[in-house]
Amino acid sequence: MKKKYCYLFTEGNANMRELLGGKGANLAEMTNIGLPVPQGFTISTEACTQYYEDGRKINDDIMAEIMEYVAKMEEITGKKFGDRENPLLVSVRSGARASMPGMMDTILNLGLNEDVVEVMAKKSGNPRWAWDCYRRFIQMYSDVVMEVGKKYFEQLIDAMKEKKGVTQDVELSADDLKELATQFKAEYKAKIGEDFPTDPKEQLIGAVKAVFRSWDNPRANVYRRDNDIPYSWGTAVNVQMMAFGNMGDDCGTGVAFTRDPATGEKKLMGEFLTNAQGEDVVAGVRTPMPISQMAEKFPEAFKQFTSVCKILEDHYRDMQDMEFTVENQKLYMLQTRNGKRTAKAALKIACDLVDEGMISEKDAVLMIDPRNLDTLLHPQFDANALKKAEVAGRGLGASPGAACGKIVFSAEDAKAWKAKGEKVVLVRLETSPEDIEGMKAAEGILTVRGGMTSHAAVVARGMGKCCVSGCGDINMDEDNKKFELAGKTYREGDYISIDGSTGNIYDGIIPTSDATISGEFGRIMAWADKYRVLKVRTNADTPADAKKAVELGAEGIGLCRTEHMFFEADRIAAFREMICADNVEQREAALDKILPMQQSDFEALFEAMQGNPVTIRFLDPPLHEFVPTEEAEIELLANAQGKTVDDIRVIIASLHEFNPMLGHRGCRLSVTYPEIAKMQTRAVIRAAIKVQNDHPEWKVVPEIEVPLVGELREFNTVKKIVVDTADEEIRSAGINLKYEVGTMIEIPRACLTADEIAKEAEFFCFGTNDLTQMTFGFSRDDAGKFLGAYYDAKIYESDPFAKLDQIGVGRLMKMACELGKSTNKALHIGICGEHGGDPSSVEFCHKLGLEYVSCSPFRVPIARLAAAQAAIKESK
Ligand code: PEP
Ligand code: MG
């Protein structure tokens, strides 16, 4: 059967949004429930995907069907394109499956030409209106369809207003507008080299193509990536008979929300303009009046509108965002959709709707976009100040929140300036473990290099600190404490503002406001917990992180990166002594200094988790990350070890690796230096014994995790060290303590041989940062440099380090789960890569049947909600 590409509004309904887009489906639904909707038809999203498949062409079949529907529309409306008696004018608007406000194109008043405008002027007795429509159409068509910049037309309008001595568009007369239309057409011809098209059907096809094309415009591409909207969906096009809000003072146009989109309060919110068309409200050409004033201007239409609002809310059971027009006092509905809202409003609306008996708890849970919760947990920029701010550059939104402060270029400066009472933003080429204290002191962190799983990103997320990483446009000169961005030189002490959610970088100061958590947050989270199956743990390396995570609902620690416990100033010295030791005795002596510190950290983690599971991962990063780089520190180490500075330099040089990510790290460190694994085992087991003794009511079962395993014998080598050491500790304490030994699954070979490894491992935890890195062969710290080109070329749509690649990496995970469970029924499996806090990845983990996801503390609520949504969706 021939595919159908066009649907009259009477042929569709709200469930057809995949095909008709949100706008088309809702126009059909409003038509079905008898609301006043100017009639028309929708060209489906499949026509858009076909347009791209056909090399950006509308093929003959689709073209013929559009013409057939134009004829149907003419019949329904009793008007005809280009008719001298009763001409049909239409709007042409985009409408994707998921709403993308302002991202794509709209054209109004299509169907006008010299003849039609004269007919309209005569028949209506309102030439001003007719010419206003015409000049608007030429302007929009030129801009949207032919891509002649808007500014040329705006300049002509400004010149006309100046000539006439008026300030507002509405003060221009019919003759002025007629003259403007002539000027616009001349401008069009000058820019395009052809006359402005007069055939309405030709105009329509031009407009439809423009809407299809706008699906691929740069702002739509960025919006889609930020909002997880696949490129493959395409947009629909809605062709709708015009209703005119610009016919005179008994006409107008407006947009309104049934509840306040900022606070969620139940009251009609919106704006209205008399004698205007939709784009005047959106573009801010004139200042609209609050919707309440519409009641005075158009009492009848307002009454009808408020009743429509109630009907729509009751029907959709959600806050609606509507566009409407009043033509000669009569109301027309042009759009309705579930309105975009702040996270605060989203929570309030969801709870209120449950209390009003409109929706169930499950519906309320499904209604909240988990990604929005970020804004509740971190400081945000003042919304008004942000509107006025200019974006100076963009990096990756690596850790959400907003930060504003003076630029510093080193961790030491960050600490020192903070001690003086300054707020600072730490700007670095890239961060390293040594920068941790500076990162803590800063309001936010901006790096030139690094992706979503780079050191800065991971550590910042753990701290809940704003971070923008990988802004390659920055031209950095760390030595001279300055950098260039967008043609401006920034020096130490200059103000900068960064947004860790969008990745935007702003010049100067934008005030921030602190996060506020409302009571509704707790209610929604409680409902989420009721319905989710996946457990949610946290990635926490410090007792403070662990406490925060528990407050935010974590049910255990899924990853403690123990290397992060060595960076404090007093510990790193001992650790460096260990690295630079000449023999096992020296190494053990250094490790003995560290052991009590590690033990007390682990005790605090077990305390914070109150008997919930705690996974402690053994040391992972390459050793060169720990060695000193500053002259003074090298000297300090030399003195402590009775060595010369040159000796230390030789050791440091010997640690150099060409490819440290694939080098001497993870379990390879335990294979070469078993003493490290021994020390860490002792610290874990001693801490567990202590906390178990202090809290007999808890069941403390430490999970000792071996990183970067790719082979069973490698795992067994480390496991033996752990078991021998742990059993000896337990024996000598005379206590009965259970512990588990498991492994990260982060090397493709581990996935491929998971059945072997599972014979000995008691648990698996997917380290999808490394697994992504090694599956793609993309360095996790460098991928940011070229991923942009991959998005542009549509090779990948999103950052695989942020959103799990379900097709490739996901397949390896599935294989590892199946193979692992085939040889070890009791095997429990989680994920602790950064994907553990990404909603679509959490849904995938739910489907995979993992036991838990683990993520940084501030993403725990996001994961809880996403896990609940996955379970609810599955049960529906
Ligand atoms: C991982 O690789 O996914 C992981 C959690 O470990 P890390 O980020 O510390 O390498
Ligand atoms: Mg890893």
Side-chain angles (χ1 to χ4, degrees), residues 23 53 71 80 152 183 225 243 248 257 312 391 421 432 435 491 537 549 579 680 737 746 753 792 795 817 872:
K23 191 175 292 180
E53 265 173 41
K80 244 179 147 46
Y152 302 108
Q183 289 178 6
R225 206 156 47 243
F257 293 88
L312 285 175
V391 179
S432 73
D435 293 331
R491 293 171 201 281
R537 298 196 192 179
I579 299 171
Q680 291 202 289
L737 183 91
E746 50 186 345
T753 60
D792 292 345
I795 298 171
C817 289
I872 295 170

Side-chain angles (χ1 to χ4, degrees), residues 559 561 617 620 665 744 746 767-770 780 832-833:
L559 174 64
R561 292 177 164 101
R617 181 183 76 185
D620 185 3
R665 59 176 283 225
M744 299 278 284
E746 50 186 345
T768 43
N769 302 333
D770 276 308
R780 54 198 264 195
C832 63

Side-chain angles (χ1 to χ4, degrees), residues 433-434 563 566-567 572 574-581 587 591 594 618-629 637 651-657 659-677 680:
E434 290 176 351
E563 58 272 18
F566 292 107
F567 295 128
I572 198 148
F575 200 78
R576 285 170 177 163
E577 284 175 35
M578 188 281 291
I579 299 171
C580 297
R587 204 155 27 244
L591 285 167
I594 299 168
F618 279 180
L619 196 64
D620 185 3
L623 293 180
H624 79 267
E625 283 197 9
F626 294 92
V627 294
T629 47
L637 181 61
I651 294 172
I652 292 173
S654 73
L655 291 169
H656 171 80
E657 290 181 310
N659 217 333
M661 270 291 181
L662 302 176
H664 194 192
R665 59 176 283 225
C667 61
R668 298 155 204 170
L669 290 173
S670 299
V671 171
T672 45
Y673 301 120
E675 342 30 280
I676 300 179
Q680 291 202 289

Side-chain angles (χ1 to χ4, degrees), residues 26 29-31 33-37 256-258 268 294 300-326 330-337 358:
N26 288 336
E29 189 76 3
M30 285 200 290
T31 300
I33 55 178
L35 298 182
V37 176
F257 293 88
T258 54
L268 186 62
M294 185 185 158
E300 268 313 303
F302 185 72
K303 213 167 115 206
Q304 197 191 351
F305 180 63
T306 46
S307 104
V308 166
C309 289
K310 166 116 184 52
I311 293 171
L312 285 175
E313 253 217 19
D314 289 351
H315 188 74
Y316 285 100
R317 295 171 184 269
D318 195 356
M319 181 260 264
Q320 294 299 294
D321 164 5
M322 301 150 300
E323 282 180 25
F324 62 95
T325 282
V326 175
K330 189 170 165 3
L331 176 75
Y332 291 98
M333 295 304 298
L334 304 183
Q335 172 176 311
T336 194
R337 63 180 171 209
M358 300 261 272

